[in-house]
Amino acid sequence: MQEVGQSLGVRYVLEGSVRKSSNRVRITAQLIDAATGGHLWAERFDRDLTDIFAVQDDVAQQIVAALAVNLSKDDKEQMVLDRTDNVEAYDCYLRGREAWWRSKKASNTEAQQLLQRAIELDPKFASAYAWLATSHMIDYIAGWSVSPALSLERADLAATRSLELDAGDACGHWARSFIDLYMRRHDEATSEAGRAIALNPNFALAHATLGEALHYSGRPEEALVSLSRAVALNPYNPDILLHFQAQANFQLGRYEVAIDLLKQRLKGNPDTDVSHVLLAACYGHLGRHEEARADWEQVMRINPNYSLEQRRSVLPYKKPADFDLVVGGLRKAHAVS
């Protein structure tokens, strides 16, 4: 446990389990001081599943008490995240988020269906609207949508509705930042990401989106700081963060660093066309033409319909020259005409 605490950069570790039988749930939890390995607190909760939200609040409050932390009224409100009183809606929401993380066309469609169901069950579920907004945005960015304009509109409406329902929900501000960025509202995107982080400083995705916004705004050094924070907060971060870090390093001309990051991503996710494109561009700038052409062939294998012009129209570079740097690397390697 001391090794875990050191690796994650944390003082305390919460360990436990959840077991379900019929309509009953048993939660065991123990709080450990990672510096000494000593147990500070332990408890077992046996509850009816219909009371699961009360159990969540109870566990959180007891941990706070064990740490002897004094919380303000606002702090206590921030502990109650992703709130709905409908258990089925919450279940759909959690499963929708899990599908969202898989970042595939089919899983993104599944995420939309589950999040839409969560909203049907609880029309005031602000966080569900936020994640639904970003799933529509991913369809738009990835070119998975039959109607990109409709996906963009749906994303915008869902993010707006999320904040109408709960302006204090960090998820809503994160979604608003994500949509604003790809609508090329760079200042608004960085501002909204900042609001999400102020509401929930441990929200890794908000730090990631801030890093993405800073990158597309032409501020790669600042982007790397935010992206590093996102990785530190979520050691199981999605591999797309490796691509974002590679983009920022590419923007700074650090092609060898970018190559290492892209290879790490492709090792676990070999069928991502965008990382093969950036890798080919890195090789092109370094004069490694054969490797560049090999990666471009992988792009065509994975996505025969890949279009640089589609990417130019979607990726929200504030400075067109930043995207031209990618195209220039591919042209140097004669990967594209």
Side-chain angles (χ1 to χ4, degrees):
M1 198 56 67
Q2 290 165 299
E3 191 177 322
V4 168
Q6 186 176 13
S7 174
L8 299 179
V10 298
R11 174 66 188 274
Y12 302 100
V13 175
L14 183 67
E15 182 182 58
S17 64
V18 180
R19 287 182 289 173
K20 178 176 175 288
S21 177
S22 187
N23 202 41
R24 296 281 291 176
V25 64
R26 170 171 291 178
I27 298 173
T28 59
Q30 54 184 354
L31 190 66
I32 301 166
D33 186 331
T36 65
H39 288 68
L40 299 175
W41 166 87
E43 187 60 85
R44 189 179 81 186
F45 302 84
D46 290 301
R47 298 286 192 277
D48 288 333
L49 192 57
T50 52
D51 198 35
I52 192 65
F53 303 114
V55 176
Q56 287 185 171
D57 291 346
D58 192 9
V59 172
Q61 294 294 343
Q62 291 207 40
I63 292 167
V64 167
L67 289 169
V69 176
N70 293 318
L71 296 182
S72 68
K73 182 175 180 290
D74 288 343
D75 289 332
K76 290 177 180 177
E77 288 176 355
Q78 287 179 30
M79 289 172 61
V80 184
L81 302 174
D82 309 327
R83 176 45 58 92
T84 176
D85 293 326
N86 187 305
V87 173
E88 187 181 349
Y90 193 58
D91 182 62
C92 289
Y93 169 73
L94 293 177
R95 290 192 289 128
R97 286 196 323 184
E98 182 63 24
W100 186 97
W101 279 110
R102 293 200 291 272
S103 300
K104 303 291 183 184
K105 184 177 181 180
S107 61
N108 199 53
T109 299
E110 181 187 357
Q112 289 171 15
Q113 293 168 346
L114 286 163
L115 293 164
Q116 188 63 54
R117 177 59 180 158
I119 290 166
E120 290 168 1
L121 291 163
D122 182 355
K124 294 184 178 181
F125 195 173
S127 294
Y129 277 101
W131 285 80
L132 179 63
T134 59
S135 72
H136 284 305
M137 203 67 209
I138 288 170
D139 270 352
Y140 170 79
I141 296 165
W144 293 337
S145 175
V146 175
S147 173
L150 182 58
S151 290
L152 190 59
E153 180 184 357
R154 285 174 172 167
D156 191 26
L157 290 172
T160 299
R161 183 58 179 153
S162 176
L163 289 174
E164 286 174 350
L165 289 166
D166 186 357
D169 181 13
C171 287
H173 289 284
W174 159 64
R176 184 70 267 167
S177 172
F178 192 37
I179 278 76
D180 281 343
L181 175 58
Y182 282 88
M183 295 180 82
R184 301 178 186 271
R185 302 169 183 162
H186 297 84
D187 292 343
E188 291 89 339
T190 53
S191 178
E192 286 292 338
R195 288 192 185 98
I197 292 167
L199 288 164
N200 181 1
N202 293 323
F203 193 3
L205 273 173
H207 287 277
T209 299
L210 177 58
E212 198 179 354
L214 290 167
H215 161 67
Y216 286 120
S217 297
R219 299 157 64 183
E221 292 281 10
E222 295 171 81
L224 286 170
V225 173
S226 292
L227 293 168
S228 294
R229 184 62 182 151
V231 170
L233 286 169
N234 181 7
Y236 298 102
N237 58 81
D239 57 63
I240 187 63
L241 289 186
L242 292 167
H243 181 85
F244 293 154
Q245 289 175 308
Q247 280 186 315
N249 279 287
F250 179 88
Q251 204 170 23
L252 290 163
R254 301 171 185 167
Y255 302 125
E256 294 286 2
V257 175
I259 287 170
D260 287 342
L261 289 162
L262 292 166
K263 283 185 173 180
Q264 287 180 53
R265 187 192 187 200
L266 290 167
K267 185 175 181 180
N269 188 357
D271 290 332
T272 168
D273 53 0
V274 293
S275 287
H276 280 292
V277 170
L278 191 58
L279 187 55
C282 289
Y283 286 139
H285 283 296
L286 292 171
R288 295 160 63 174
H289 298 165
E290 288 187 15
E291 290 164 289
R293 286 192 287 271
D295 269 288
W296 184 254
E297 287 173 5
Q298 288 299 314
V299 175
M300 293 294 100
R301 176 187 64 80
I302 296 163
N303 182 6
N305 297 317
Y306 182 89
S307 164
L308 283 169
E309 288 312 307
Q310 186 269 343
R311 300 306 288 167
R312 186 191 294 277
S313 69
V314 167
L315 296 180
Y317 281 105
K318 194 171 185 177
K319 302 174 183 176
D322 286 336
F323 185 77
D324 290 338
L325 189 64
V326 176
V327 178
L330 296 171
R331 284 179 176 159
K332 282 182 181 179
H334 309 293
V336 298
S337 57

